[in-house]
Amino acid sequence: MITGEPRTMPVHELRDKARLAVAYATAGTPVIVFQHGDPAIVLITNNEAQRWIAIERALSTLHGLEVYPELVERTSSLAALVAGRVRANATAVRRLGREERQILDIPRTIGITEIQRRIKEIIDEVNAGRPSVIYSSGEYIAYLITPTEYYRLQRLSRAVAWFLAAGLDLATADTSEIVAFVKAFRERGSGAGEAGAMAG
């Protein structure tokens, strides 16, 4: 899980123990790989990557309803945002539209033995913007993303948890469910408080 405690590993260890790193990732423990003392790439389970792809699609639906959870600094502000009592700053919305979402990019498929042979090139490819998905024994098992994307998803997980507690699972909800949730939330007028425009 993105929110789980990550395991760290130097790049030479990933090269020599690729299967072990993948085993950690597929068990739900993110693996942050360090190169020259800095985070270089992060391994997450393929199921987690697919979950975030679905969440990103749900967020796109929310954007169409003028709900921008990514722009909220505190989850305590989300009720007012969904209820329509605050509006997103137009400049912040434009900036959000330009933000990279690597998890949505088409990944390059690699095998575990390829990690052992050309890990430095793979790191360069991932950091150039294209994620990689590891294929083994007939299935996709793990994703490689940048640390920047990993930390972005971590921050976003707070908003995802708020929606889940409020009754909407962004990872599984379809468009009609999201629209119905927002409509009902606005009709109830849930959440007292903030009004006006969100800071950007």
Side-chain angles (χ1 to χ4, degrees):
M1 297 290 287
I2 288 290
T3 54
E5 186 67 27
R7 188 178 187 92
T8 60
M9 180 176 288
V11 67
H12 68 82
E13 188 174 347
L14 174 63
R15 183 185 59 241
D16 298 338
K17 301 178 181 178
R19 292 186 185 278
L20 177 62
V22 168
Y24 287 135
T26 55
T29 300
V31 179
I32 302 177
V33 179
F34 280 74
Q35 184 178 41
H36 308 307
D38 295 315
I41 54 172
V42 182
L43 280 77
I44 61 173
T45 175
N46 180 61
N47 288 341
E48 183 74 350
Q50 297 307 315
R51 175 176 172 269
W52 279 101
I53 289 169
I55 289 170
E56 289 286 357
R57 291 172 180 154
L59 289 171
S60 294
T61 300
L62 287 172
H63 295 171
L65 300 170
E66 298 187 348
V67 177
Y68 299 90
E70 303 97 317
L71 301 180
V72 173
E73 293 183 3
R74 301 182 309 277
T75 54
S76 59
S77 302
L78 278 168
L81 176 67
V82 177
R85 286 194 298 278
V86 296
R87 299 184 313 278
N89 176 283
T91 300
V93 171
R94 287 193 295 271
R95 188 166 60 240
L96 178 64
R98 295 191 297 268
E99 185 178 76
E100 290 186 12
R101 295 169 177 80
Q102 188 186 41
I103 201 74
L104 293 177
D105 290 342
I106 298 173
R108 181 179 182 277
T109 301
I110 60 175
I112 291 182
T113 56
E114 193 171 349
I115 294 175
Q116 296 166 330
R117 292 196 316 269
R118 51 184 298 274
I119 183 58
K120 291 186 178 180
E121 291 90 343
I122 291 171
I123 289 174
D124 288 343
E125 290 166 0
V126 172
N127 279 281
R130 187 176 184 185
S132 290
V133 60
I134 301 172
Y135 187 81
S136 178
S137 302
E139 60 180 347
Y140 297 108
I141 56 175
Y143 247 66
L144 301 176
I145 58 176
T146 63
T148 298
E149 179 70 344
Y150 171 71
Y151 296 133
R152 184 185 73 85
L153 298 178
Q154 267 198 328
R155 290 190 300 271
L156 191 52
S157 65
R158 295 181 299 122
V160 173
W162 181 90
F163 276 97
L164 184 60
L168 183 68
D169 186 349
L170 295 179
T172 60
D174 61 24
T175 298
S176 61
E177 290 171 327
I178 296 168
V179 171
F181 173 86
V182 172
K183 180 181 179 182
F185 206 93
R186 289 175 175 172
E187 288 175 349
R188 288 198 309 269
S190 293
E194 305 168 50
M198 290 167 51

